Amino acid sequence: MSNSGSNLDRLRRANLATVLGIVHRSRSVSRAQITAETGLYRSTVGALVTELAALGFVIEGEPEATNRVGRPSPLVTPAPGVVAIAVNPEVDAVTLGVVGLGASVEHRVRHPVESPVTPEQTVRIVRDLLDALRPGPLAGRRVAGIGIAVPGLVRTADGLVRLAPHLGWRDAPLTRLFEEELGLPTVADNDASLGALAEHLFGVGRGVDDLVYLNGGASGIGGGVIADGRPLRGAGGYAGEFGHNRPAVQDRTSERGALEDEVSRARLLAAAALAVADEPTLARALLGATDQSVRDELARQRRVLATALSNAANVLNPSLIVLGGFLATLLASDPVGLAGLVADQTLPPAAEGLRLRPAALGEDRLLIGAAELVFAPVIADPATLQRTAS
Amino acid sequence: MSNSGSNLDRLRRANLATVLGIVHRSRSVSRAQITAETGLYRSTVGALVTELAALGFVIEGEPEATNRVGRPSPLVTPAPGVVAIAVNPEVDAVTLGVVGLGASVEHRVRHPVESPVTPEQTVRIVRDLLDALRPGPLAGRRVAGIGIAVPGLVRTADGLVRLAPHLGWRDAPLTRLFEEELGLPTVADNDASLGALAEHLFGVGRGVDDLVYLNGGASGIGGGVIADGRPLRGAGGYAGEFGHNRPAVQDRTSERGALEDEVSRARLLAAAALAVADEPTLARALLGATDQSVRDELARQRRVLATALSNAANVLNPSLIVLGGFLATLLASDPVGLAGLVADQTLPPAAEGLRLRPAALGEDRLLIGAAELVFAPVIADPATLQRTAS
DNA sequence: TCGGAATTGTTGCGTCGATGCACATATTAC
DNA sequence: GTAATATGTGCATCGACGCAACAATTCCGA
């Protein structure tokens, strides 16, 4: 109730944020490009970049060799001194990443576990991993905070994990635990929402302001939405749960009829007669199959998926739908066919501008998304991050 | 590519916009309240209000009689001198409204037509209506522009009506026609999207930043979404078309299976054995019915609607779903039952924070929404609107 | 090889918006 | 009637960006 007005301080902070955001998203830009993109004057951009450099966020390097007249403009790049810790607890492992500005994943550790971890165990594992990294990748670096990609519903306001069925978590105060035990600012969000964010900023969705991301994994279908260039979170932060939607299905094969009951990795494994398989293996088996039953199951799942995607397209009118995990395999099994099914059930004007694409970022996706969560407030107000080393 | 930076000009404009926005949404606030809400200093708010008054957007009136110590703070209210023209072409009439800041509908004219109008006829009707109003309600007022609520898909970027099936319009350059013929800046959007905006700002959705609005009319079901306090438009502006979605339906009664095929006013009229009826008549007939077949049809439609609403709630996680038209009647026929069906199919955390409510604004809704479209840029930059009279 | 054109960094100054103090003003409480 | 409280008003100050002039660096053509 006391902050909608703006003053010189905020003006400065907003411009610092704009410049740092450009450097972050572009990974490397000349000062002249920043001038053009912001519309600010040369001298102002100079001062802003100098301040960001003094704060340790960017470094000014040698100009790029461009073949144009005029004085070369120095290249501004993210400083390697600031990193975020990205954490992704899953049923079979806890993955930790050290991610710098510009979404550079500088280190990744996968810590396998035999049974799903508790929140407390997750904290301990992360602490041990961080202790091990401190002499190496973390030496002399400022840790801006910890970002956690949770396979479940996270109340984003306070990082309470309301429900993570496959981990067995329920109303777990995850970020509070991390902040108390590790003393680092911690934020958490749903994994698929972070995947959407990562693909939007650094993947196939670069420059696309309205996209839907759907990921198919062993534990179901998760999703995230970018609307008008910003993550769509909803009132509590639970938005994007496409997997639990009930689309119209011609020949229902499950009782509940939710998207993730009808379109599932388990059914694909069964159709391909595989017990367990990693994603590339499953994709090869499915895409190379000549067996009619396999192709029928692929076609059935494509039909159900198409209706769900059309429902999303009618409501959200994205210009891009990004598919990850086995949903990318479903797309690859018949890209034109799936796109046609979607177009048939989508209002023509909305269908016109719609593309379907496989996700691009691979295994770094969730780490980049989780780091983005950490960097967002830092970029929004660079001056607040303390200079004290980690 | 040259505007993300901010400067003193923008700072001033942003603060003017903030203050005018507060006055617009609150209809009447004291300067002290503005000071508290913006966090700006007294003297700054004073200067801003004075400038807005000089520009003719607000007036400072007598302080309200509050029983508190201290010097009374003058009341700031929207000036009646600035109005928007709201237009809503429908199959059987063209409605025009004169709407002031603060969403005050000062005048409304309904111009019945025998057959659906063309875009060109709409322009002519509006011109004639405006000519008639000029000596009266428009005398001495500045017209900020024209906002059109179209029952169809509108490409918001340029106001091209891609498809308005019930009017028979297709790729009609509506706003261009208006601007050429009437010389007033014109904007257009889907009617339900504007309904959502109006309910968010001045209806049941006041203060709710994440809501879904669904309206049931004779021509089908339209919808609009407010996400994070802003209208969700999508890439082209076609978002919110819930009516064309295909939710899972237990006993499908239509071939296509779209929501608006299964949940329709025509089926309710048939069940109530009415040929034609206005909304209150239909509501009375349905809610007072003891006939089992009527109650069965209501229950059937509620079941289908519940699945569609759950799908929306899972994806968008709103804290409020607003139902208008005959959908409000469906809600009224069993509020607890419908809410229960929705909760059953929605993820528990998302269902927890979700309310279902009937729409509040009545027949002014679309006019207010359309006027909002006109006022938005004016509020964002008050200094641009010319002082020249209409 | 050299000079002109083009582009961009650098520096100092001007402009302008918000702030905060001191003071004036208006109301309530006692 | 006086004290306390809250708010409007005028003025000096601070600080951020824009601008103009100059310097630096490159390309290009004679």
Side-chain angles (χ1 to χ4, degrees):
Chain A
M1 257 287 185
S2 64
N3 45 12
S4 56
S6 198
N7 52 27
L8 285 181
D9 254 29
R10 291 199 181 196
L11 174 61
R12 179 68 164 188
R13 274 207 292 271
N15 282 338
L16 281 173
T18 302
V19 171
L20 184 52
I22 289 172
V23 175
H24 171 57
R25 282 189 301 276
S26 317
R27 291 188 166 119
S28 162
V29 271
S30 70
R31 257 164 71 169
Q33 284 175 290
I34 296 175
T35 304
E37 201 164 328
T38 57
L40 297 169
Y41 199 72
R42 297 201 294 265
S43 48
T44 305
V45 172
L48 291 167
V49 170
T50 303
E51 182 165 349
L52 286 175
L55 288 166
F57 288 104
V58 304
I59 47 180
E60 287 196 273
E62 290 303 300
E64 219 175 13
T66 118
N67 287 332
R68 289 186 309 175
V69 292
R71 177 174 176 173
S73 189
L75 221 53
V76 184
T77 50
V82 179
V83 294
I85 304 300
V87 176
N88 177 220
E90 288 177 299
V91 282
D92 56 348
V94 174
T95 306
L96 182 147
V98 178
V99 186
L101 281 168
S104 67
V105 179
E106 295 171 10
H107 207 85
R108 179 177 42 234
V109 201
R110 187 182 147 90
H111 180 91
V113 293
E114 293 187 2
S115 60
V117 289
T118 64
E120 289 77 11
Q121 289 171 326
T122 309
V123 175
R124 278 197 290 275
I125 291 169
V126 169
R127 175 165 49 204
D128 293 346
L129 291 175
L130 283 181
D131 285 343
L133 292 176
R134 231 174 283 275
L138 290 182
R141 295 189 155 163
R142 282 183 289 166
V143 175
I146 301 177
I148 315 178
V150 181
L153 297 176
V154 181
R155 193 207 273 158
T156 42
D158 60 357
L160 183 77
V161 178
R162 296 301 311 280
L163 189 64
H166 305 96
L167 295 174
W169 298 1
R170 196 182 196 89
D171 291 328
L174 189 64
T175 60
R176 189 166 62 73
L177 282 175
F178 268 81
E179 293 189 339
E180 283 174 5
E181 294 294 317
L182 303 180
L184 285 167
T186 307
V187 280
D189 201 347
N190 171 264
D191 54 358
S193 297
L194 294 177
L197 183 58
E199 292 287 347
H200 163 59
L201 289 171
F202 298 101
V204 276
R206 273 191 96 111
V208 177
D209 274 355
D210 296 272
L211 67 82
V212 169
Y213 166 78
L214 279 182
N215 186 69
S219 50
I221 291 177
V225 177
I226 301 292
D228 211 5
R230 308 190 315 172
L232 181 82
R233 299 195 196 280
Y238 315 126
E241 291 297 329
F242 295 91
H244 293 79
N245 271 11
R246 293 171 159 82
V249 173
Q250 310 221 331
D251 35 8
R252 196 192 289 184
T253 60
S254 69
E255 193 182 349
R256 187 174 61 155
L259 173 63
E260 66 182 18
D261 300 330
E262 300 289 329
V263 176
S264 86
R265 195 170 192 275
R267 288 177 192 274
L268 291 177
L269 279 173
L274 292 169
V276 286
D278 59 8
E279 208 53 51
T281 309
L282 176 60
R284 267 195 306 277
L286 292 171
L287 298 180
T290 52
D291 192 345
Q292 189 59 38
S293 70
V294 173
R295 301 172 66 172
D296 285 350
E297 176 62 14
L298 283 171
R300 188 190 67 79
Q301 293 206 13
R302 281 198 306 267
R303 283 197 301 275
V304 179
L305 180 62
T307 300
L309 296 183
S310 301
N311 286 352
N314 283 327
V315 170
L316 298 164
N317 181 213
S319 54
L320 176 68
I321 293 179
V322 179
L323 297 174
F326 77 83
L327 296 183
T329 306
L330 278 183
L331 173 62
S333 70
D334 186 358
V336 176
L338 183 61
L341 287 173
V342 172
D344 286 346
Q345 301 172 76
T346 306
L347 280 163
E352 262 174 36
L354 179 61
R355 294 173 301 142
L356 304 183
R357 291 286 181 277
L361 292 175
E363 59 185 346
D364 283 344
R365 190 187 307 130
L366 295 189
L367 300 181
I368 290 173
E372 201 58 34
L373 219 51
V374 174
F375 286 138
V378 174
I379 290 173
D381 189 1
T384 53
L385 183 60
Q386 297 305 316
R387 286 238 61 174
T388 54
S390 63
Chain B
M1 257 285 182
S2 62
N3 46 12
S4 56
S6 199
N7 53 26
L8 285 180
D9 253 29
R10 292 197 181 198
L11 174 60
R12 180 66 164 189
R13 274 207 293 271
N15 281 340
L16 281 173
T18 301
V19 172
L20 184 53
I22 290 172
V23 175
H24 171 57
R25 283 189 301 276
S26 317
R27 290 184 165 124
S28 160
V29 272
S30 71
R31 256 162 73 167
Q33 283 174 290
I34 297 176
T35 303
E37 201 163 328
T38 58
L40 296 169
Y41 200 73
R42 296 201 297 266
S43 42
T44 306
V45 172
L48 291 168
V49 170
T50 303
E51 182 166 350
L52 287 174
L55 287 166
F57 288 105
V58 304
I59 47 180
E60 289 195 271
E62 290 303 300
E64 218 175 14
T66 121
N67 285 333
R68 289 187 310 175
V69 290
R71 176 174 176 174
S73 191
L75 222 51
V76 184
T77 50
V82 179
V83 295
I85 304 300
V87 177
N88 178 219
E90 289 178 299
V91 282
D92 55 349
V94 174
T95 305
L96 182 147
V98 178
V99 186
L101 281 168
S104 68
V105 179
E106 295 172 9
H107 206 84
R108 178 177 40 233
V109 202
R110 187 180 147 91
H111 179 91
V113 292
E114 293 188 1
S115 59
V117 288
T118 64
E120 289 78 9
Q121 289 171 325
T122 310
V123 174
R124 278 196 291 274
I125 291 170
V126 169
R127 176 168 45 202
D128 293 346
L129 291 175
L130 284 181
D131 285 343
L133 292 175
R134 230 174 284 274
L138 290 181
R141 295 190 154 164
R142 283 182 289 167
V143 175
I146 301 177
I148 315 178
V150 181
L153 298 176
V154 181
R155 193 207 272 159
T156 43
D158 59 357
L160 182 78
V161 178
R162 296 301 311 279
L163 189 66
H166 304 95
L167 295 174
W169 298 1
R170 195 183 197 91
D171 291 328
L174 188 64
T175 61
R176 189 166 61 72
L177 282 176
F178 268 80
E179 293 188 340
E180 283 173 4
E181 293 295 317
L182 302 181
L184 285 167
T186 306
V187 280
D189 201 347
N190 171 265
D191 54 357
S193 298
L194 294 178
L197 183 59
E199 291 287 347
H200 162 60
L201 290 171
F202 298 100
V204 274
R206 273 191 97 112
V208 177
D209 274 354
D210 296 271
L211 66 82
V212 169
Y213 167 78
L214 279 181
N215 186 68
S219 52
I221 292 177
V225 178
I226 301 293
D228 210 4
R230 308 189 313 170
L232 180 81
R233 299 196 196 280
Y238 314 126
E241 290 298 329
F242 294 91
H244 291 79
N245 271 9
R246 292 172 161 81
V249 173
Q250 309 222 332
D251 35 7
R252 197 192 288 185
T253 59
S254 70
E255 194 182 347
R256 185 172 63 155
L259 173 63
E260 68 182 15
D261 300 330
E262 300 289 330
V263 176
S264 86
R265 194 169 192 276
R267 289 176 191 274
L268 292 176
L269 280 174
L274 293 169
V276 286
D278 58 8
E279 207 53 52
T281 309
L282 176 60
R284 266 195 309 277
L286 292 170
L287 298 179
T290 52
D291 192 344
Q292 189 61 37
S293 70
V294 173
R295 301 173 66 171
D296 286 349
E297 176 62 14
L298 283 170
R300 189 191 66 79
Q301 293 206 13
R302 281 198 306 268
R303 283 197 302 274
V304 179
L305 180 62
T307 301
L309 295 184
S310 301
N311 287 350
N314 283 325
V315 169
L316 297 164
N317 182 212
S319 54
L320 177 68
I321 294 180
V322 180
L323 297 174
F326 75 84
L327 296 183
T329 307
L330 277 184
L331 173 63
S333 71
D334 186 359
V336 177
L338 183 61
L341 288 173
V342 171
D344 287 345
Q345 302 172 73
T346 305
L347 280 163
E352 263 174 35
L354 180 61
R355 294 173 302 140
L356 305 184
R357 290 287 181 278
L361 293 174
E363 59 185 346
D364 284 343
R365 191 187 305 130
L366 296 189
L367 300 181
I368 290 174
E372 201 58 35
L373 219 52
V374 174
F375 286 138
V378 174
I379 290 172
D381 189 2
T384 53
L385 183 60
Q386 298 304 317
R387 286 237 60 175
T388 54
S390 62

